[in-house]
Amino acid sequence: MKRYLDDRVQADLAKKMVFLTGPRQVGKTTLSRHLIAQQGGQYLNYDVPADRAIILHQRWNPLAPLLVLDEIHKMPDWKAWLKGVVDGKLATQQLLVTGSARMDTFRQSGESLAGRFFGLRLHPVSVREWCEQTGAEPDAALTHLLERGGFPEPCLAPDNEQAERWRRQYFDGLVRNDVLEFSRIQEVNAIRLFAELLRSRVGSPLSLASIGRDLAVSPVTLKKYLDILEALYIVFVVRPFHDNIARAVLQTPKVYFYDTGLVVGDDGLRFENLVATALHKHVQWQHDVQGQETGLHYIRTKDGAEVDFALSLQGQLTHLVECKLSDPKPHRALLRFAREQPQAQAVQVVRHLPHSHALGEIQITRADEYLKRLAA
């Protein structure tokens, strides 16, 4: 299946090296091989011993139109090494670097790569992408993604049984193998247990102190575990909006999974997670492709008023988004913040709704229509 970033990656490669990151099995290798099939090239994976030897000795074909290097962030001092590769390669050779862990989490010393690359993040399939690639109607696309999640393999699986088998193996493999890039083997079980607990706490303000008491682990250690799960693109964190960035970082975050299929809970919880993944993809497309300083947040006051999501541009609120399964009545907190923040578009996104309509400051919108209109 062609992905939404195929054309953008190809366009950016004509100008600079491209870093393509994202969750494991989200489609980075398929995208890379699709580009190689189109224009010719060579794919090398640092995890494969034979490929690793070629990478370390730089014995790839210097005339290959496209060189794809996967997982090289596992190499010591990879930034300095890669800078040498970029500066020494032929101008006609394009370079695509891919990885399933965030490259900015690796703090090896070395030369800066600033100005030498474009960074793009590949996300799971969204309602918009499924509609564009399969011709499905938005409501059918939303139903399918709520059932299967947005990762290509379960999304394209012939039945739910195959999708669930993939998911079990995927989650076990991530926690068992990839966590070791960041942590000691003795911590793997603790991180797995923490990840399992998070599956049922999606969308709620996350108290690491409370979870720490349950697991007999310090909040500082849990913060490290959360950073690992985020770095591996298992979860992403949504923080409360505040015009003081330092205060926003310190306040209680909410956590969502890249794979909606991993969420343990009712239909409302899975729906909120799917909307979160769609907004996260939308915001990062605007950041990576359009160069906009965008952000995804939520709003919560000391008196308990809360709106599920808020979008910002250059630190200013632009959108307020509340998720509901079937309730068309305007959410009280959404009404309040719509009046307090008149520059922000207020939308109540409803999964089961006969038709979209406006009620005062609030747009009551069918979820399938809203998600179809997002940027990616």
Side-chain angles (χ1 to χ4, degrees):
M1 183 177 79
K2 181 178 179 179
R3 297 304 309 278
Y4 71 106
L5 280 183
D6 281 29
D7 295 338
R8 172 53 56 178
V9 171
Q10 196 162 28
D12 284 352
L13 282 170
K15 303 168 187 175
K16 293 183 180 182
M17 170 175 60
V18 171
F19 278 179
L20 180 66
T21 56
R24 189 172 293 282
Q25 296 188 40
V26 79
K28 300 182 299 297
T29 299
T30 301
L31 187 154
S32 301
R33 294 192 183 281
H34 177 69
L35 293 177
I36 289 174
Q38 284 184 312
Q39 63 192 70
Q42 189 172 4
Y43 172 88
L44 298 169
N45 187 332
Y46 191 78
D47 284 338
V48 177
D51 287 359
R52 187 185 308 135
I54 295 172
I55 290 171
L56 292 174
H57 295 94
Q58 299 189 25
R59 291 176 180 165
W60 55 76
N61 180 4
L63 300 180
L66 172 62
L67 175 63
V68 179
L69 300 175
D70 192 11
E71 302 291 341
I72 63 163
H73 59 267
K74 298 175 182 178
M75 179 195 307
D77 298 322
W78 68 272
K79 293 180 182 178
W81 179 89
L82 186 58
K83 178 180 179 293
V85 170
V86 174
D87 293 345
K89 73 179 182 64
L90 294 176
T92 54
Q93 186 174 65
Q94 298 176 351
L95 181 57
L96 175 60
V97 179
T98 64
S100 57
R102 289 186 182 172
M103 297 192 179
D104 59 2
T105 63
F106 294 83
R107 303 299 184 186
Q108 293 95 332
S109 61
E111 295 288 340
S112 171
L113 293 168
R116 289 175 169 83
F117 70 94
F118 288 121
L120 297 170
R121 288 164 285 193
L122 186 63
H123 284 256
V125 176
S126 60
V127 167
R128 173 171 179 164
E129 188 178 4
W130 189 253
C131 290
E132 290 177 347
Q133 298 303 324
T134 68
E137 291 298 317
D139 186 62
L142 177 54
T143 299
H144 184 77
L145 294 177
L146 282 169
E147 186 177 79
R148 298 288 187 86
F151 279 70
E153 188 168 337
C155 213
L156 296 168
D159 53 55
N160 287 338
E161 181 180 311
Q162 295 302 314
E164 287 304 316
R165 290 180 66 187
W166 172 89
R167 182 161 289 110
R168 285 194 299 272
Q169 294 172 350
Y170 175 77
F171 186 70
D172 289 346
L174 275 177
V175 176
R176 184 175 59 252
N177 300 323
D178 291 0
V179 163
L180 292 178
E181 292 182 30
F182 295 85
S183 189
R184 298 169 300 177
I185 191 168
Q186 296 93 332
E187 295 181 301
V188 170
N189 286 337
I191 295 174
R192 177 188 175 84
L193 182 57
F194 179 50
E196 288 283 1
L197 282 175
L198 291 180
R199 294 176 64 185
S200 60
R201 303 197 184 198
V202 161
S204 299
L206 190 66
S207 171
L208 295 181
S210 174
I211 298 176
R213 287 192 292 271
D214 293 341
L215 298 181
V217 177
S218 75
V220 173
T221 298
L222 287 183
K223 175 61 168 62
K224 171 190 167 186
Y225 292 172
L226 182 60
D227 289 344
I228 291 172
L229 296 175
E230 196 176 1
L232 291 171
Y233 291 98
I234 299 173
V235 303
F236 59 95
V237 170
V238 176
R239 300 189 182 278
F241 177 80
H242 198 286
D243 54 9
N244 183 317
I245 298 301
R247 285 185 62 187
V249 169
L250 292 174
Q251 293 181 28
T252 306
K254 296 200 296 186
V255 172
Y256 296 92
F257 281 80
Y258 281 90
D259 180 11
T260 295
L262 286 174
V263 175
V264 175
D266 59 20
D267 291 346
L269 206 60
R270 291 170 67 89
F271 174 59
E272 182 179 336
N273 193 94
L274 186 142
V275 173
T277 63
L279 292 173
H280 189 44
K281 182 177 181 178
H282 167 83
V283 163
Q284 292 199 339
W285 167 272
Q286 291 178 316
H287 183 277
D288 294 349
V289 175
Q290 299 173 345
Q292 298 182 15
E293 289 299 322
T294 53
L296 173 62
H297 325 269
Y298 75 98
I299 294 179
R300 183 179 176 87
T301 62
K302 291 181 179 178
D303 60 6
E306 182 175 331
V307 173
D308 290 329
F309 303 108
L311 305 184
S312 67
L313 176 63
Q314 295 181 339
Q316 300 298 313
L317 280 180
T318 59
H319 296 79
L320 302 164
V321 183
E322 179 69 19
C323 301
K324 296 292 184 184
L325 263 185
S326 57
D327 186 2
K329 181 181 178 181
H331 182 57
R332 181 178 299 178
L334 184 62
L335 278 170
R336 168 182 166 179
F337 291 114
R339 291 164 183 159
E340 292 178 0
Q341 304 286 338
Q343 82 287 354
Q345 180 184 6
V347 183
Q348 186 157 311
V349 179
V350 185
R351 170 69 181 101
H352 302 293
L353 186 71
H355 57 84
S356 301
H357 56 281
L359 285 177
E361 303 96 335
I362 309 297
Q363 295 291 325
I364 311 295
T365 304
R366 285 173 54 103
D368 58 331
E369 295 175 356
Y370 178 79
L371 297 173
K372 174 68 165 56
R373 292 196 299 265
L374 294 179

